Amino acid sequence: MPPVFYQYKPSKLSTVMSLTTLKWLTVSVCLALTACNNATTAQSADQLDELHSKNAVKADNHTSETNYASETINIVSPDWGNAATLTAMGHAPIATGDVRVWDRWVGSPKLPASITDIGIRYQPNAELIAQLPTDLVVDNLFYEHARNLYGDVPAESVMFAAKGDTATWADYTEPTRKLGALIDNPKLAEDYIVKSQKDITLASQKLQQRYPNVKRFAVVQFADANNMRMYVANSLFKPALDEMNKELVVLGKGNSWGFVPIRMGDLAQLDEDVCLLIIDPLSPITRAEIEDSLVWQRLGYGDTRCMGELPPVWIYGGMSSLVSLADNLSTVVLKGGVA
């Protein structure tokens, strides 16, 4: 006989219980999923808040670093004129060239002990430059050939020089203001210009008190015992002496560097009342040869004619060179002639 298959027919009670169980199971699963989702959402929110906090801190730190950098812009300048003026302003560069002979040719201001010597100004040390935390290079036309050594560091040209045949006060104040703008401190530059003018005026008063009869000056620097450079109207000596109410006397028109080459005998063309200023450095050998020169002896400087010797001043410098020259003149010892 064939097998008999019985079909289960649940009762109404069992059916209700099964539906109830399924309902509660569904609710439990939903609750569990909701709890997990809430936990995940809460964790994500916490992580997002933490990320926002970290980003806020980074932003604050970045702002602080940016502000700090704007206050302490690290300048490298191979040019002594810019390096000296920045130092005198109170924002010395972190590096310049030929520091070992600074005192011999520039003198004042004194460089800070922390400054780095990048080697020869015209050919700075590339490896050393690469290690410096440089924000900006300040140079001029004479040093632009070396800009490739600074990598992607920006460079700006600032030139202290006459714009025409005669140097003026503005030829030195305008580049000083440009330096102030480059270091993001225009007031520092303005204050320095005002102070420089006051210092030059004070130096002028001292010179006038000491040598009231000396009105006219000629300025030279010896190359050897017979050859020299005479600094003329487009050199820094013109605005410096103008500010001191003195006259610069010249023999001819100078070159773009502000001087005309002359020989010792040419000094005889100067009037008797012109006081000759000799700018150091002057080597002992050259000094001895000058004193032994019969031409020099006949000229009479230091005897019948006025003469003085000044400490080094960077002749191709900026505002600081004008102040240094005035300070040197206020203390110079003049000998002979109208002095």
Side-chain angles (χ1 to χ4, degrees):
M1 87 181 270
V4 178
F5 295 96
Y6 293 94
Q7 185 175 4
Y8 174 71
K9 294 182 178 181
S11 64
K12 291 182 178 181
L13 179 60
S14 61
T15 300
V16 170
M17 290 181 64
S18 297
L19 290 173
T20 302
T21 301
L22 181 61
K23 177 181 179 181
W24 282 110
L25 180 61
T26 302
V27 171
S28 299
V29 171
C30 290
L31 289 173
L33 290 173
T34 302
C36 291
N37 184 62
N38 289 341
T40 302
T41 302
Q43 183 179 8
S44 299
D46 290 342
Q47 290 175 341
L48 188 60
D49 289 342
E50 182 180 359
L51 181 60
H52 286 166
S53 298
K54 289 181 178 179
N55 287 340
V57 171
K58 289 180 179 178
D60 289 342
N61 289 341
H62 178 71
T63 301
S64 299
E65 290 172 1
T66 302
N67 290 338
Y68 178 76
S70 67
E71 294 173 1
T72 58
I73 297 175
N74 289 333
I75 303 291
V76 168
S77 181
D79 174 58
W80 276 350
N82 285 307
T85 300
L86 283 166
T87 300
M89 284 170 55
H91 192 113
I94 62 171
T96 190
D98 291 317
V99 172
R100 64 194 181 282
V101 292
W102 176 276
D103 290 340
R104 178 173 173 80
W105 292 99
V106 183
S108 180
K110 298 296 182 182
L111 291 173
S114 60
I115 201 164
T116 299
D117 189 342
I118 56 174
I120 300 172
R121 285 169 294 142
Y122 195 72
Q123 295 177 323
N125 186 316
E127 293 181 0
L128 183 57
I129 288 173
Q131 301 174 33
L132 297 173
T134 310
D135 297 316
L136 178 67
V137 175
V138 177
D139 58 12
N140 55 42
L141 295 175
F142 191 67
Y143 301 100
E144 285 185 356
H145 68 278
R147 286 187 175 183
N148 63 309
L149 300 178
Y150 306 110
D152 58 356
V153 176
E156 290 285 345
S157 178
V158 178
M159 190 75 177
F160 290 95
K163 293 182 176 62
D165 293 337
T166 301
T168 65
W169 180 252
D171 290 332
Y172 291 84
T173 56
E174 290 176 8
T176 302
R177 290 190 175 99
K178 184 174 181 179
L179 286 177
L182 291 176
I183 63 173
D184 197 24
N185 198 339
K187 186 177 185 303
L188 190 66
E190 288 298 334
D191 290 346
Y192 177 62
I193 291 171
V194 172
K195 181 180 183 301
S196 296
Q197 195 156 29
K198 289 180 179 178
D199 290 344
I200 293 174
T201 299
L202 181 60
S204 175
Q205 293 170 353
K206 290 180 179 178
L207 177 62
Q208 183 62 26
Q209 291 172 358
R210 297 179 64 225
Y211 300 106
N213 298 323
V214 182
K215 308 293 185 183
R216 309 168 73 202
F217 291 95
V219 183
V220 300
Q221 191 170 40
F222 279 90
D224 56 42
N226 193 44
N227 296 282
M228 65 194 76
R229 296 174 174 178
M230 169 173 278
Y231 292 97
V232 295
N234 61 332
S235 72
L236 63 82
F237 296 96
K238 175 63 175 173
L241 288 172
D242 283 350
E243 288 293 314
M244 300 181 76
N245 298 313
K246 302 298 180 183
E247 179 186 350
L248 177 65
V249 179
V250 302
L251 297 175
K253 182 179 178 180
N255 55 24
S256 58
W257 297 103
F259 69 84
V260 57
I262 64 172
R263 298 174 70 85
M264 183 182 288
D266 295 328
L267 295 176
Q269 301 175 46
L270 296 174
D271 294 336
E272 293 288 336
D273 65 336
V274 176
C275 191
L276 183 69
L277 295 176
I278 300 172
I279 306 294
D280 286 343
L282 187 62
S283 73
I285 294 176
T286 301
R287 187 187 302 275
E289 290 175 346
I290 292 171
E291 292 174 353
D292 289 341
S293 168
L294 293 178
V295 175
W296 181 256
Q297 293 171 12
R298 292 196 62 179
L299 287 170
Y301 284 108
D303 184 11
T304 58
R305 290 188 177 192
C306 175
M307 184 197 75
E309 187 173 340
L310 294 178
V313 60
W314 186 232
I315 293 162
Y316 312 108
M319 182 65 70
S320 64
S321 289
L322 298 183
V323 177
S324 294
L325 174 60
D327 287 341
N328 293 342
L329 269 172
S330 71
T331 58
V332 69
V333 175
L334 301 180
K335 302 176 181 178
V338 294

